[in-house]
Amino acid sequence: MKILAIGDIFGKTGRQIIKSDYFSELKKKHQIDLVVANVENATHGKGISRKHYKELKGPKDKILIDAMTSGNHIFAYEETQKLINEVPDLLRPLNSNPYHPGPGSIIVEKKNKKIRITNLIGTTFMSMAAENPYFALKKVIDLKDWDIHLVDFHAETTAEKNALALRYDGQISVLWGTHTHVQTADERILPKGTAFITDLGMTGPAYGVIGANPEGIIKRAERGLPAKMVPNEDEKDKGQFNGVIFEFDDATNKVVNIQRIRKIF
């Protein structure tokens, strides 16, 4: 079993990469069985619209992404509040406000395996109020209803991601981080068997400031003046793809290999 996890898909550039021949060939070359992607930045850098959900999902005979996770920007568009209850594969953070619609953990089936996907959000330097992620994850772990359990921890700090992974080492299959848009080079299998990487990185513009046009970001940082964050969609910026392939032993359901993928076009 090979599962591809894709870092935050950002704006039009990120969506185009997912629909590109490069992505199709990548899946074919590595014989990918399941694709999970974080899509909270898919629509103009914040949120995901119904239109862009369909675009990233792809046609029924050629599914692009099997399951979509998110983070603090998931409900940037009001329409997503309805969409998330109408589709089976779009998640919001499990430990976010309990009044938020949609699931925070789902099960999908591939190759006769039950694969649980859980989406969590961090509490350090994060604007969204959230329940303690340890409490939320433990409740799901106690269900013991999966063969493989994947966790997308959408969090700001490296220590926060490392600590959660180590706490539940051996009790979940994989924990990967999202949110910072910068791929880390610390992929490893922890002592009790859980695979871990601090951040998958971002799939979107390559030469902005974590996806955004640098002019507005620099204006805010240098001059302390308000400026709108917009995706960096310069024609010369062909984008980047960041993701990680986790290969599982079909007999033990343990990760046996981790491969980072980083491509600047």
Side-chain angles (χ1 to χ4, degrees):
M1 169 82 72
K2 288 185 178 180
I3 295 175
L4 171 61
I6 302 173
D8 305 45
I9 297 171
F10 196 101
K12 180 180 179 181
T13 303
R15 300 194 310 271
Q16 288 178 331
I17 291 170
I18 296 301
K19 296 186 297 178
S20 70
D21 290 340
Y22 167 79
F23 182 60
S24 178
E25 291 165 6
L26 177 72
K27 290 171 65 178
K28 184 177 180 180
K29 175 184 176 181
H30 293 281
Q31 298 180 308
I32 300 301
D33 298 297
L34 181 80
V35 177
V36 182
N38 192 295
V39 299
E40 71 139 16
N41 302 122
T43 299
H44 310 305
K46 281 189 178 182
I48 181 167
S49 66
R50 183 182 297 272
K51 175 184 177 181
H52 293 154
Y53 165 83
K54 292 179 179 179
E55 183 180 340
L56 289 172
K57 191 66 184 175
K60 290 183 178 180
D61 61 341
K62 190 182 178 182
I63 297 295
L64 298 173
I65 298 172
D66 296 284
M68 303 183 193
T69 55
S70 65
N72 52 308
H73 295 309
I74 177 60
F75 296 119
Y77 290 87
E78 188 173 351
E79 66 185 76
T80 311
Q81 296 176 32
K82 292 183 179 180
L83 171 67
I84 201 168
N85 280 329
E86 295 171 357
V87 298
D89 46 20
L90 177 61
L91 287 79
R92 51 89 166 174
L94 177 67
N95 60 321
S96 63
N97 191 312
Y99 290 106
H100 286 178
S105 188
I106 62 172
I107 287 182
V108 299
E109 294 193 14
K110 286 283 182 178
K111 297 178 71 173
N112 297 316
K113 302 281 187 183
K114 288 186 177 181
I115 303 171
R116 179 168 283 284
I117 303 165
T118 298
N119 194 179
L120 296 170
I121 194 164
T123 56
T124 304
F125 306 132
M126 192 68 72
S127 59
M128 177 185 283
E131 178 189 17
N132 186 316
Y134 290 81
F135 295 162
L137 183 54
K138 184 62 166 63
K139 293 173 189 175
V140 179
I141 289 172
D142 286 345
L143 295 174
K144 297 180 180 178
D145 59 354
W146 67 87
D147 299 301
I148 292 170
H149 189 179
L150 313 173
V151 178
D152 177 344
F153 190 25
H154 196 76
E156 192 74 59
T157 71
T158 55
E160 192 175 16
K161 298 173 189 179
N162 274 262
L164 188 66
L166 288 166
R167 171 63 181 87
Y168 292 111
D169 181 18
Q171 299 181 58
I172 56 177
S173 307
V174 182
L175 188 148
W176 63 72
T178 55
H179 182 63
T180 70
H181 294 197
V182 179
Q183 188 181 84
T184 54
D186 62 342
E187 72 278 11
R188 61 195 185 275
I189 297 175
L190 300 176
K192 296 179 183 178
T194 294
F196 172 73
I197 184 169
T198 299
D199 206 288
L200 298 176
M202 178 190 71
T203 295
Y207 299 107
V209 178
I210 60 171
N213 185 294
E215 290 184 9
I217 305 302
I218 292 171
K219 181 180 179 181
R220 285 193 292 184
E222 181 182 41
R223 304 180 188 180
L225 296 171
K228 188 176 180 180
M229 189 282 292
V230 295
N232 190 51
E233 294 181 350
D234 188 303
E235 291 182 359
K236 296 178 181 179
D237 190 339
K238 303 302 181 183
Q240 61 177 314
F241 177 90
N242 284 282
V244 176
I245 298 170
F246 299 95
E247 182 178 357
F248 291 79
D249 183 312
D250 288 333
T252 65
N253 295 325
K254 298 287 188 181
V255 174
V256 293
N257 188 58
I258 308 171
Q259 181 178 354
R260 280 186 294 117
I261 305 292
R262 175 165 168 75
K263 170 74 173 178
I264 297 179
F265 298 95

